[in-house]
Amino acid sequence: MLIDLYTNILYSDPFSLVLVKLILAFSLLYLSMASSFYFFGKLGHQKGWTKPVSTLPLFKHQIRTEITYSFVSIVIFACYGVLTIWLYRQNLLEISFDNNWLILVDLFIFAIWNEVHFFAVHRLMHTKLLLPFHRIHHKSVVVTPFSTFSFHPVESFLMGSVMIIPMLFFPFEIYALILLPIYSLFFNTLGHSNIAFINQKNLISTQHNTHHTKFNFNFGFISHQLEKIFKRNPK
Ligand SMILES: [Zn+2]
Ligand SMILES: [Zn+2]
């Protein structure tokens, strides 16, 4: 069934249908991931496994606002998907169908690239020129799992280029391409979950949360390396 789904998207669906399918797939992924973290957080806090990183109140209608902005972001990400399919049908980029251990290599390459891309775009969003757009994302001082894609469309446009850029130069495995958005969204949602495990400090879940509350450091995705190289972390 998955093979039929991606075969149709790659070769035969009209672009309007590709757009609808990608919007539905990304929406389903975003809502299921965010809801899972939301309810896991609630359960974890109740059972005493976890605690909120910040206990400040949310702003009025925060989750509704975040979902609305996220949906606009999802439409922009889906447009990138349509552009990718168009480039593939024009033979301007390649996809591999070997289905072997190279899937893991591709995931590793993407994880490294994702760190660089996220850090670079995020630092750019904190420049004078782009900060007014980034303030939409920082409206969520206390993050929720629904904050992940809560961007101004300008930021969604820049962030959404993460997959298409390396695909222009490198033939990723098809199953790596299907797994990449799941990998990226999982860690991004974790970073916006407002969940800290008891007795553990500075996990991914708390790093990005601190960026939202303190604003001027912790620009990275998972790794601290780029932060250290560019000396933006006061530690
Ligand atoms: Zn920021
Ligand atoms: Zn954020």
Side-chain angles (χ1 to χ4, degrees):
M1 192 189 152
L2 185 60
I3 293 176
D4 289 343
L5 194 68
Y6 74 66
T7 305
N8 289 342
I9 287 177
L10 286 175
Y11 301 105
S12 57
D13 285 342
F15 288 113
S16 53
L17 185 58
V18 174
L19 182 67
V20 171
K21 283 184 176 177
L22 291 178
I23 289 173
L24 285 174
F26 291 154
S27 300
L28 193 69
L29 188 59
Y30 161 76
L31 288 172
S32 57
M33 191 77 82
S35 307
S36 304
F37 272 95
Y38 184 80
F39 289 113
F40 173 76
K42 276 203 174 302
L43 184 71
H45 303 339
Q46 257 176 26
K47 299 274 185 192
W49 309 325
T50 60
K51 58 183 179 189
V53 182
S54 170
T55 51
L56 291 170
L58 304 185
F59 67 80
K60 201 174 173 205
H61 304 311
Q62 178 168 331
I63 291 183
R64 194 198 303 172
T65 307
E66 289 171 343
I67 291 174
T68 306
Y69 276 114
S70 295
F71 184 70
V72 177
S73 299
I74 283 168
V75 172
I76 292 170
F77 300 157
C79 287
Y80 269 113
V82 171
L83 177 61
T84 307
I85 300 298
W86 182 83
L87 289 168
Y88 178 70
R89 289 185 189 175
Q90 302 297 315
N91 294 320
L92 292 170
L93 61 79
E94 288 177 39
I95 296 172
S96 297
F97 297 88
D98 298 330
N99 297 334
N100 55 21
W101 56 275
L102 286 170
I103 295 170
L104 293 177
V105 176
D106 288 1
L107 284 171
F108 181 72
I109 291 170
F110 178 79
I112 305 278
W113 161 249
N114 193 45
E115 294 294 324
V116 175
H117 182 272
F118 185 93
F119 185 83
V121 172
H122 195 185
R123 286 292 295 120
L124 214 58
M125 294 312 299
H126 277 257
T127 57
K128 222 180 226 176
L129 180 69
L130 294 177
L131 194 55
F133 302 113
H134 192 45
R135 290 214 184 273
I136 298 285
H137 187 61
H138 275 282
K139 199 169 155 58
S140 307
V141 175
V142 178
V143 286
T144 79
F146 297 92
S147 317
T148 313
F149 292 155
S150 182
F151 299 139
H152 185 282
V154 168
E155 182 164 358
S156 313
F157 177 75
L158 293 171
M159 282 291 185
S161 64
V162 64
M163 279 179 71
I164 197 169
I165 294 174
M167 285 182 76
L168 290 170
F169 306 100
F170 187 84
F172 282 93
E173 284 289 329
I174 184 71
Y175 284 105
L177 292 175
I178 294 168
L179 289 170
L180 296 179
I182 301 170
Y183 158 84
S184 177
L185 185 61
F186 176 84
F187 284 104
N188 214 342
T189 311
L190 181 63
H192 290 92
S193 63
N194 197 24
I195 295 170
F197 284 88
I198 300 292
N199 299 330
Q200 292 203 14
K201 284 182 182 169
N202 213 22
L203 290 175
I204 301 155
S205 60
T206 60
Q207 284 167 26
H208 191 73
N209 206 116
T210 315
H211 174 71
H212 276 261
T213 48
K214 305 232 165 112
F215 197 69
N216 219 17
F217 66 98
N218 278 359
F219 290 93
F221 186 72
I222 293 178
S223 163
H224 270 312
Q225 289 312 310
L226 291 167
E227 191 86 23
K228 281 180 189 158
I229 291 167
F230 291 95
K231 294 187 172 55
R232 296 298 305 184
N233 197 327
K235 273 177 269 175

